[in-house]
């Protein structure tokens, strides 16, 4: 399977994936996708790793996958995020990632999910900001004194 290489093609691929599901998983994934974009309109959709939908802003925010019993959102840097609403319920043993499994008929805590998305974006931006090399100082050479 070839992964789409542009954001527009990735969005179309995700649209098709949602339509192909045709059940509660498609509806749930579509709603989660809306919430992700509502939380951060600058989110870019990508497709990586043999067809995994990825939501990025200054790095990966989360992936969205569908399984028989769950829609899974995996946050790339989830272990570093505050989760006061306790949305993370999967991949809790890892040092970096955290995931949210949403099951059929489960209500999504929409405000908490949007807050988590915004926090993940802020973390990416902060990390990206510290990764920039420091500019070299442009100090002028000292003038030689004339005696």
């Amino acid at each position: 399977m070839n992964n789409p290489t542009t954001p527009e093609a990735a969005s179309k691929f995700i649209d098709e994936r949602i339509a192909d599901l045709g059940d509660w998983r498609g509806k749930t994934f579509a709603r989660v996708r809306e919430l992700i974009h509502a939380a951060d309109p600058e989110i870019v959709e990508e497709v990586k790793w043999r067809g995994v939908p990825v939501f990025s802003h200054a790095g990966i925010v989360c992936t969205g996958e569908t399984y028989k019993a769950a829609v899974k959102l995996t946050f790339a840097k989830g272990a570093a995020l505050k989760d006061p609403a306790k949305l993370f319920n999967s991949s809790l043993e890892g040092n970096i990632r955290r995931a949210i499994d949403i099951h059929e008929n489960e209500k999504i805590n929409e405000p908490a999910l949007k807050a988590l998305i915004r926090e993940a974006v802020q973390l990416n931006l902060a990390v990206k900001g510290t990764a920039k090399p420091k500019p070299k100082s442009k100090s002028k050479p000292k003038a030689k004194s004339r005696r």
Side-chain angles (χ1 to χ4, degrees), residues 14-34 36 53 55 63-73 100-106 108:
I14 295 168
D15 288 341
E16 290 169 2
R17 170 78 54 91
I18 289 168
D20 288 347
L21 287 166
D23 60 8
W24 70 269
R25 296 170 302 161
K27 290 176 186 168
T28 300
F29 190 65
R31 181 63 188 144
V32 165
R33 182 186 192 194
E34 289 173 8
I36 290 168
F55 301 93
T63 62
E65 298 174 82
T66 53
Y67 297 96
K68 188 174 183 176
V71 172
K72 180 182 282 289
L73 295 179
I100 302 168
D101 286 354
I102 304 166
H103 301 95
E104 189 171 8
N105 298 320
E106 204 168 67
I108 300 168

Side-chain angles (χ1 to χ4, degrees), residues 51-123:
V52 175
V54 176
F55 301 93
S56 299
H57 183 160
I60 295 173
V61 172
C62 66
T63 62
E65 298 174 82
T66 53
Y67 297 96
K68 188 174 183 176
V71 172
K72 180 182 282 289
L73 295 179
T74 303
F75 285 72
K77 297 179 184 105
L81 302 176
K82 294 177 186 124
D83 181 23
K86 306 280 187 235
L87 295 181
F88 291 130
N89 59 9
S90 182
S91 303
L92 301 175
E93 65 285 342
N95 292 332
I96 299 173
R97 294 179 294 128
R98 292 284 184 274
I100 302 168
D101 286 354
I102 304 166
H103 301 95
E104 189 171 8
N105 298 320
E106 204 168 67
K107 185 167 172 27
I108 300 168
N109 183 337
E110 295 183 2
L113 180 59
K114 290 197 291 190
L116 204 55
I117 296 291
R118 285 190 288 270
E119 185 181 351
V121 168
Q122 288 306 308
L123 179 60

